[in-house]
Amino acid sequence: MLERNQYPQFYIDKKDEFKVISKLQETLNLELASAISAQGVTAIRGALSKIVAEALEEPVEASLPALPETIEIFLTGAKKNTGLIEALTTVKQNSSRAVDHVVNVLALTAQYAFFKQFPEDEIKQICLCAMLHDTG
């Protein structure tokens, strides 16, 4: 844990922690949207991996509010590029097993929900559940 006098330029006061995490999640969602626009499957998986990894860090209650937007960005991209979800299931990323697992579950869940032609609101809820299923 960083102390205030160690590396003061990197120290974040407890009172600012939620604001900083929120801004980070916003930035990561922009990175995801950019990767989806460029249709780079490896970049998309990398962006999702960063979002999931951050969401699994404490305090999770600071990261969770951004996840519905993540799902919205992901599903909007999947509608425009129908091969995106299938491609995501085949690309491996050098991240933790837990993060890879969550991204795989998200991709497979979205693939199934689109295949079954669930209503869009249901797909969003199911995908959010897929991302959160192991958070305990």
Side-chain angles (χ1 to χ4, degrees):
M1 182 72 131
L2 279 178
E3 297 295 323
R4 183 182 298 270
N5 59 357
Q6 296 177 300
Y7 309 105
Q9 70 273 29
F10 298 119
Y11 181 79
I12 299 169
D13 277 323
K14 194 75 169 162
K15 66 178 177 53
D16 296 328
E17 188 175 38
F18 277 53
K19 190 181 345 175
V20 170
I21 291 171
S22 176
K23 186 64 177 170
L24 173 61
Q25 289 293 86
E26 181 184 319
T27 301
L28 292 174
N29 277 335
L30 289 172
E31 183 181 319
L32 174 62
S34 176
I36 288 172
S37 292
Q39 296 186 358
V41 177
T42 303
I44 293 166
R45 187 172 182 89
L48 280 170
S49 293
K50 288 178 193 173
I51 290 167
V52 170
E54 186 59 37
L56 295 175
E57 290 292 321
E58 292 293 332
V60 293
E61 59 272 8
S63 311
L64 295 181
L67 292 182
E69 182 183 352
T70 300
I71 296 298
E72 183 75 36
I73 292 166
F74 176 68
L75 293 177
T76 299
K79 281 192 241 173
K80 293 177 182 172
N81 178 357
T82 55
L84 169 66
I85 294 171
E86 188 173 336
L88 274 177
T89 63
T90 62
V91 175
K92 294 293 179 211
Q93 185 74 21
N94 292 330
S95 59
S96 80
R97 294 180 88 179
V99 170
D100 279 344
H101 170 70
V102 170
V103 173
N104 288 338
V105 170
L106 171 61
L108 292 169
T109 301
Q111 187 176 33
Y112 177 78
F114 278 117
F115 172 75
K116 295 299 273 183
Q117 299 178 342
F118 290 158
E120 188 171 333
D121 285 343
E122 250 181 80
I123 293 173
K124 290 175 186 175
Q125 290 291 338
I126 291 168
C127 287
L128 185 57
C129 290
M131 285 185 79
L132 299 175
H133 81 277
D134 274 342
T135 57

